């Protein structure tokens, strides 16, 4: 069993919320309201990369 301080738990929750926010912006194949253009995809991947780098 893991003993996690409340500050660690809050940081983990904030990171998870950040991932959820970025995931919600990602284009989905077949969705006419979200473009699959490469610029949009690269921006979202960049945001995800930033979140991953912060989590390390």
């Amino acid at each position: 069993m893991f003993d996690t301080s409340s500050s660690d738990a809050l940081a983990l929750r904030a990171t998870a919320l950040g991932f959820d926010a970025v995931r919600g912006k990602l284009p989905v194949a077949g969705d006419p309201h979200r473009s699959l253009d490469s610029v949009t995809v690269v921006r979202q991947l960049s945001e995800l990369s930033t979140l991953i780098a912060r989590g390390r």
Side-chain angles (χ1 to χ4, degrees):
M1 185 154 207
F2 294 102
D3 182 18
T4 304
S5 71
S6 61
S7 62
D8 289 343
L10 289 173
L12 183 58
R13 181 175 294 273
T15 301
L17 289 172
F19 276 109
D20 286 343
V22 172
R23 181 181 51 159
K25 295 179 196 174
L26 289 171
V28 177
D31 185 347
H33 302 291
R34 292 187 183 168
S35 173
L36 284 175
D37 68 285
S38 59
V39 173
T40 301
V41 173
V42 168
R43 283 183 185 149
Q44 299 310 317
L45 288 174
S46 177
E47 283 189 51
L48 285 172
S49 298
T50 300
L51 286 172
I52 291 168
R54 282 188 210 156
R56 290 184 178 190

